[in-house]
Amino acid sequence: SEHQHLRYNPLRDTWVLVSAHRVRRPWAGQVEKPPEEHIPRYDPNNPLCPGSRRASGQVNSDYDSTFVFDNDFPALQPDAPDPGSDQHALFQTRAARGVCKVMCFHPWSDVTLPLMKTHEVVKVIDKWAELVEELGSTYPWVQIFENKGAMMGCSNPHPHCQVWASDFLPNEPALSDRCQRAFHQRHGEPLLLQYARQEAEREERLVLLSPDWLVVVPYWATWPYQTLLLPRRHVLRINELTAEEREGLADVMKRLLTKYDNLFEVSFPYSMGWHGAPTGPHLEEDNSHWQLHAHYYPPLLRSATVKKFMVGYEMLAQEQRDLTPEQAAEKLRNLPEEHYRSREEQVGGGGAA
């Protein structure tokens, strides 16, 4: 906890430099603007609200639960032409096709996931599973991800995520697939299944533990309060979770995100995403080396207005962090699980739709 050292990330076959003593250095850098706390529940000009007209001219349904629509400005399209190839090893191109969807969690703009009721979060999980089932029948990769907060590039405060399906395996899951496969071949057990068991026994980096799930600050974490959410049994994809596991997941997600909000008493920004076994043409393959998991990458380091910057050494040499995973886990573990602002105060009273 006092001296710099390297830690190995087995999911990426990379090393992280941990320099815990640097967190005590004075900060005179950029200070972020605190996130807006008073968000209107309904704004007819917000393109994600029920009944609103989006930039494409499409009008949202008057939804009262989750709502999914095709992204109006998709990064991937199903009918993109083949760009051809230069036929030179240094100038390679290939076709990239897919679909991009937006999924609203709730009809109210001022309700984030930790403020939703557990049964409402279960509906979100059920819809994720539905989309993986639907898109995964065709595409080899379905990426569920949420960017929360302007600090993480989110341009709309309405609670939502995105789901992108691609006809190729992106870099991060391709690397993770390779590492998990190699570990399984050497040890005869999925990497993350063994890792979850070890973390549950050691308890050093444990944040939350339930009969079906655990949350840890991973041993190799890069972001200050990064967490890894894992099932405790062997599960390949989110659509394979039982009803009981989905209810347990909803509870654990709410508890984790409430802890995040309580850390600096602010609606905590982060990027999160689910990684599961490849789909599409890979469905018939042996993917027993895979284990379903979710990554949470929050940028805040010292306060609600001071974040971790991935620049300089991180961009040009390797990942580096100033707070040990054990210190981060202890801080998160000891935070209360009652939200720092009551639901009534946060969303103006009343029950959710």
Side-chain angles (χ1 to χ4, degrees), residues 66-321:
T66 58
F67 173 59
V68 178
F69 62 91
D70 290 333
N71 195 313
D72 297 320
F73 303 98
L76 293 164
Q77 296 174 316
D79 54 358
D82 192 322
S85 176
D86 191 274
Q87 302 302 322
H88 190 287
L90 298 179
F91 301 94
Q92 298 185 52
T93 57
R94 69 177 190 184
R97 300 183 180 95
V99 296
C100 299
K101 294 184 179 289
V102 177
M103 174 182 160
C104 296
F105 296 152
H106 195 280
W108 296 350
S109 294
D110 57 346
V111 179
T112 56
L113 276 170
L115 293 170
M116 289 168 61
K117 295 179 179 178
T118 303
H119 76 268
E120 294 170 335
V121 182
V122 170
K123 290 181 180 179
V124 171
I125 296 165
D126 286 343
K127 185 58 70 172
W128 283 341
E130 206 177 291
L131 288 168
V132 168
E133 187 86 33
E134 173 195 337
L135 299 173
S137 64
T138 303
Y139 292 100
W141 190 253
V142 181
Q143 182 62 64
I144 299 166
F145 66 97
E146 178 192 4
N147 295 322
K148 179 171 178 277
M151 196 180 290
M152 295 308 283
C154 183
S155 60
N156 194 312
H158 193 95
H160 72 285
C161 72
Q162 299 192 53
V163 183
W164 294 10
S166 61
D167 69 348
F168 57 91
L169 208 56
N171 293 339
E172 287 298 316
L175 179 56
S176 181
D177 179 70
R178 215 157 50 236
C179 292
Q180 290 181 85
R181 187 185 299 275
F183 185 94
H184 191 268
Q185 288 173 346
R186 288 195 306 270
H187 302 281
E189 183 181 19
L191 186 160
L192 287 175
L193 196 61
Q194 185 177 128
Y195 178 70
R197 188 173 64 251
Q198 287 283 331
E199 288 287 25
E201 291 173 1
R202 295 170 183 240
E203 299 184 342
E204 296 171 273
R205 288 162 294 276
L206 197 62
V207 177
L208 289 168
L209 185 67
S210 77
D212 296 317
W213 297 92
L214 81 160
V215 178
V216 299
V217 176
Y219 183 75
W220 54 83
T222 301
W223 293 91
Y225 294 98
Q226 176 180 335
T227 53
L228 185 64
L229 172 56
L230 291 160
R232 300 185 67 182
R233 76 169 178 96
H234 191 197
V235 184
L236 298 185
R237 304 174 184 91
I238 197 167
N239 56 311
E240 298 171 13
L241 295 174
T242 66
E244 185 179 355
E245 286 169 334
R246 295 181 191 195
E247 290 178 10
L249 174 58
D251 177 67
V252 164
M253 285 173 57
K254 272 181 57 67
R255 291 166 64 194
L256 171 63
L257 298 179
T258 297
K259 283 178 176 288
Y260 272 152
D261 283 4
N262 286 339
L263 182 59
F264 298 126
E265 295 194 346
V266 68
S267 186
F268 212 69
Y270 58 77
S271 281
M272 73 79 67
W274 284 98
H275 281 177
T279 50
H282 302 279
L283 284 169
E284 302 304 317
E285 297 178 4
D286 180 9
N287 285 293
S288 56
H289 56 287
W290 266 92
Q291 173 74 330
L292 176 70
H293 57 285
H295 298 279
Y296 284 86
Y297 299 130
L300 295 178
L301 172 60
R302 295 166 177 257
S303 69
T305 57
V306 177
K307 70 175 185 179
K308 161 78 174 176
F309 287 90
M310 290 288 192
V311 295
Y313 190 87
E314 287 90 350
M315 295 176 69
L316 297 166
Q318 71 179 44
E319 297 169 323
Q320 182 269 331
R321 62 177 289 126

Side-chain angles (χ1 to χ4, degrees), residues 26-32 305-306 309:
W27 178 257
Q30 180 171 316
V31 175
E32 307 295 325
T305 57
V306 177
F309 287 90

